[in-house]
Amino acid sequence: MAALFTVASFLSCNDGEEGGSGVMPLHIISASAGITTTVTRSAVTRASGTKTLTGEGDAIGIFLKADANYGAVNNCKYTYQSSLSGWGPAAEELTLGVKTAWLSAYYPYKEEQALPAVVLATRAYKAEHEFYYQTFNASYLVSAVNLNLKRAYALIRFSLIRGEADVPATGDSAYPDAGNVTAFGFTANLLPSGQLNLLDNVLTGTISRITVNNEAPEVPFTIGNRTVPAQKDFLIVPTTGYSGELTFTATVDGKAMSGKVTEQSLCGTEGKLRAGVMYEIKVTVRPKALTVSGISREAWDVTDIPGELEIK
C-alpha cells in the first residue's frame, strides 16, 4: 500500500535502533483516514475524501519491523491529545536512529493486537469492524510524519429500489406490494477471511464459495426508491483472482426472489476486488424477480470515523 506522508521525527516503545547513541522520537504531525486508491477507470470512477483524526482519545498503533539495525516494536500506542493539539505516545516513546526503519500504523487501536498480523473477515457492515493502516519508513533524519491511513477492506453495497411501471423501459412492471424485506444475502467466490501482515503488506487466505447474510439477527427493512434506495453494505476481504457469478437473494413480502451479477460486470476484466473501493449493485424489485439496473465502482468516501462512521 502506497504511503502518503511527510517524514521528520519518530517515537520508540523501547529501543528503536540497537547500539546507536543518536536517536530521535517519532513525531506524528497528523493522522487521517482517507482515499487515495489508484486503479484504472474501469475499476474506479471517482476518488476523494479524507477525515482527520482529532478526537480526544483517538488512538493508533505503531509496529516497527526488526532488521539488522532495529529490534521489533509491537503495538506502540499513540493518542490524539488536545493539550498538545496533536499526537503523543500513551506511554513510552518510539525512538529512531540514523538507519531507516520500516514501520506500519493502524487504526483503530486495539490493546490485544500484539503482533502485526490482522485477521480480516467478509461480513455484514458494522462501523466497529472498519480497519485502516499504512506502511512507511522513517529515521533520525526523517522522523515527523503525516499519516494518511487507507481502508483494508473493499465494500459491496446493494441498493434496492421499488420497480416503477415503464421505467426504465416500456413494459416494465411496477412492484405493487409493501416491499418489506425480511431476509437478504449473497453468495460469491471470495476470501471468507484473510490474514493481513501490516509490515509486509501481504494478505493471505483461501478463496471459497461463501454465503454472506445481512446482520444477525435479520433486521427487516423496506425497499426504497430511485431517490433514496434501501442500502445493505458488506465488508469484503480484498480478493485477487475473483471469478464466477455473484448471486443474491431476498425475501420480499414473504416471497423468495433472486438475481445475479457476472464477474466482469462486478470488477471488470482484472478479476480483483480492491481495498478502498465500493462496488455498488443497484437492484430493482419487480413483481416476480430482482433485476440489476446498474453497477458502479468508485472510491469509498469516509465522512466520519468509528464510532461515528458513515459511508456514501
Side-chain angles (χ1 to χ4, degrees):
M1 177 173 292
L4 191 64
F5 59 89
T6 307
V7 182
S9 136
F10 260 69
L11 305 177
S12 161
C13 290
N14 290 333
D15 293 345
E17 186 180 43
E18 296 183 345
S21 56
V23 295
M24 284 287 288
L26 173 66
H27 174 55
I28 299 172
I29 300 171
S30 66
S32 62
I35 306 294
T36 57
T37 307
T38 303
V39 292
T40 62
R41 184 168 176 78
S42 65
V44 151
T45 58
R46 179 172 57 88
S48 65
T50 60
K51 173 63 182 182
T52 303
L53 307 180
T54 55
E56 184 69 26
D58 274 342
I60 58 177
I62 303 287
F63 289 91
L64 186 152
K65 188 174 185 178
D67 59 19
N69 301 300
Y70 291 93
V73 173
N74 289 321
N75 210 24
C76 190
K77 183 179 181 181
Y78 280 75
T79 60
Y80 184 82
Q81 301 170 22
S82 56
S83 60
L84 301 176
S85 296
W87 292 80
E92 299 177 74
E93 293 183 334
L94 190 156
T95 53
L96 297 179
V98 174
K99 302 294 184 180
T100 299
W102 186 253
L103 304 102
S104 182
Y106 78 92
Y107 174 85
Y109 175 83
K110 294 182 179 180
E111 186 175 354
E112 65 272 19
Q113 190 63 52
L115 297 174
V118 175
V119 176
L120 305 179
T122 294
R123 52 189 163 183
Y125 177 88
K126 287 186 177 181
E128 59 263 35
H129 297 324
E130 283 267 34
F131 190 85
Y132 304 81
Y133 79 111
Q134 174 188 334
T135 55
F136 59 98
N137 51 33
S139 69
Y140 175 90
L141 298 177
V142 282
S143 60
V145 297
N146 293 301
L147 298 174
N148 185 12
L149 285 68
K150 310 300 183 297
R151 276 192 164 97
Y153 282 101
L155 184 85
I156 290 180
R157 165 173 288 174
F158 294 88
S159 294
L160 287 82
I161 65 172
R162 178 184 298 274
E164 301 176 33
D166 300 322
V167 177
T170 301
D172 287 340
S173 300
Y175 185 77
D177 298 325
N180 295 321
V181 182
T182 52
F184 187 85
F186 72 95
T187 300
N189 297 320
L190 297 169
L191 288 172
S193 63
Q195 182 168 282
L196 174 64
N197 187 303
L198 298 178
L199 287 168
D200 296 335
N201 197 25
V202 173
L203 177 66
T204 56
T206 302
I207 295 174
S208 61
R209 191 153 187 83
I210 60 172
T211 297
V212 188
N213 293 312
N214 195 15
E215 66 267 21
E218 289 275 359
V219 177
F221 63 96
T222 303
I223 57 177
N225 54 49
R226 285 186 294 165
T227 303
V228 185
Q231 296 175 329
K232 302 305 325 178
D233 295 329
F234 298 87
L235 292 171
I236 307 298
V237 178
T239 303
T240 298
Y242 175 83
S243 63
E245 290 182 339
L246 180 153
T247 60
F248 54 93
T249 59
T251 302
V252 187
D253 296 320
K255 297 173 289 188
M257 298 183 178
S258 64
K260 62 183 180 181
V261 175
T262 65
E263 166 194 343
Q264 188 163 344
S265 296
L266 184 62
C267 58
T269 58
E270 66 176 4
K272 294 181 180 179
L273 296 176
R274 292 179 175 267
V277 176
M278 177 178 70
Y279 301 81
E280 182 179 13
I281 302 169
K282 300 171 184 177
V283 179
T284 300
V285 181
R286 298 294 179 185
K288 296 183 179 180
L290 305 176
T291 63
V292 176
S293 50
I295 297 175
S296 64
R297 297 175 291 274
E298 59 186 84
W300 177 9
D301 278 345
V302 56
T303 58
D304 218 323
I305 55 173
E308 302 175 1
L309 189 80
E310 297 175 2
I311 47 182
K312 287 187 173 182

